[in-house]
Amino acid sequence: MIIFPLVKIPFKFRFISTLITLIMTLQMSACGTEEFLTAVAPNLGSGSEPVTEIADNHAALISGVDSASVTEDVNPNSANLEVGGTLEITDPDTGEAAFSEKTVTGIYGKLTITSAGTWSYTADNNQSAIQSLAGGTTLIDNLIISSVDGTLHTITITIFGADENNTTANITLSWNVPVQREDNSTLALDEIEKHTIYFGTTSGQYTNQASTNSDAHIITGLLVGTTYYFVITTTDTDGRESQHSTEVPITI
Ligand SMILES: [Ca+2]
Ligand SMILES: [Ca+2]
């Protein structure tokens, strides 16, 4: 005798392994026994109506932006390469058109997604895997997210490499030593403790500095092709430092 309800079980992704077991069992039972089929049935779920329970979920349909790229050394934010996008989702089942909020850890970075599907990816630009990339080479980071019903989707991030700019040069800066204070009183040479040069690669942001009591100074190790912005101050022997000079941009 064949047990019909078992044959009516719909094909559902999450139960695929169980279903395969069942089909194989039915084929085997073509010349088998009723007892053999009955023994398989409990694997399909608990409760009195397992068929109804399985039929409830329909996989979500996920679309939208699921790939993006970052490039070594290009616009890192606090040393992180960042990119983002938005996925879209529909689901025939009420209340399931949403994503599971979470942070997924990839090989090179992390991806965070909201329930609405907005995601952001961040990777440490300084990690050796990225810094050792040459121009024209890439890394791939695949990050798997899911909807609330467990439908999986992969977001693929391509990390492009860049050749390192290691060519450096030195420059000599010189200036006219001030002879007057801001209140127009005289500033004698022996009242000057030092001059301090501040510089950086962004206007108004001076991440490096060098001091001297001379009227010229050599700055070493500047990257060729890069624009640096310089200002200078004078500090007197009482430790009072002047305001910045006018900024001077120099492309090496
Ligand atoms: Ca669903
Ligand atoms: Ca590189």
Side-chain angles (χ1 to χ4, degrees):
M1 181 175 77
I2 299 297
I3 304 174
F4 288 104
L6 287 175
V7 184
K8 291 181 178 177
I9 293 170
F11 288 67
K12 285 299 154 193
F13 178 78
R14 60 194 294 184
F15 293 100
I16 193 71
S17 60
T18 304
L19 194 60
I20 291 170
T21 301
L22 177 62
I23 292 169
M24 291 176 63
T25 303
L26 286 171
Q27 289 172 342
M28 290 170 63
S29 68
C31 56
T33 67
E34 175 185 337
E35 287 75 17
F36 193 57
L37 283 172
T38 304
V40 173
N43 289 335
L44 296 172
S46 58
S48 57
E49 294 180 321
V51 172
T52 302
E53 190 173 327
I54 294 168
D56 270 347
N57 184 44
H58 301 79
L61 182 63
I62 297 172
S63 59
V65 178
D66 60 5
S67 66
S69 67
V70 295
T71 301
E72 174 190 353
D73 296 339
V74 174
N75 298 326
N77 180 13
S78 299
N80 287 317
L81 302 176
E82 299 175 341
V83 69
T86 302
L87 290 176
E88 291 159 14
I89 185 169
T90 58
D91 194 302
D93 307 312
T94 302
E96 293 187 352
F99 296 93
S100 293
E101 284 189 354
K102 60 181 168 183
T103 297
V104 183
T105 301
I107 300 173
Y108 309 106
K110 291 181 177 178
L111 181 141
T112 298
I113 187 167
T114 67
S115 60
T118 300
W119 57 266
S120 60
Y121 175 84
T122 177
D124 180 3
N125 178 56
N126 293 329
Q127 63 186 292
S128 59
I130 292 180
Q131 282 303 310
S132 61
L133 283 172
T137 62
T138 58
L139 294 172
I140 299 293
D141 215 355
N142 284 318
L143 303 112
I144 300 173
I145 57 88
S146 63
S147 71
V148 293
D149 78 350
T151 304
L152 302 177
H153 197 82
T154 300
I155 295 175
T156 300
I157 306 296
T158 301
I159 302 170
F160 288 99
D163 291 325
E164 314 305 317
N165 175 11
N166 293 323
T167 305
T168 61
N170 306 333
I171 64 167
T172 300
L173 298 177
S174 62
W175 52 90
N176 295 322
V177 175
V179 295
Q180 210 172 42
R181 295 179 183 273
E182 290 173 17
D183 64 359
N184 297 327
S185 61
T186 301
L187 176 65
L189 195 59
D190 62 5
E191 292 178 307
I192 294 177
E193 175 70 26
K194 62 180 178 180
H195 305 286
T196 304
I197 301 159
Y198 298 91
F199 62 102
T201 55
T202 302
S203 177
Q205 296 181 25
Y206 313 114
T207 52
N208 303 284
Q209 66 180 71
S211 292
T212 178
N213 55 12
S214 177
D215 60 356
H217 191 69
I218 298 174
I219 306 287
T220 62
L222 301 178
L223 292 171
V224 171
T226 301
T227 298
Y228 291 85
Y229 299 84
F230 298 87
V231 294
I232 189 169
T233 65
T234 297
T235 302
D236 70 11
T237 50
D238 290 330
R240 289 175 293 202
E241 184 174 17
S242 72
Q243 297 181 44
H244 287 171
S245 67
T246 302
E247 182 181 83
V248 177
I250 299 176
T251 300
I252 308 303

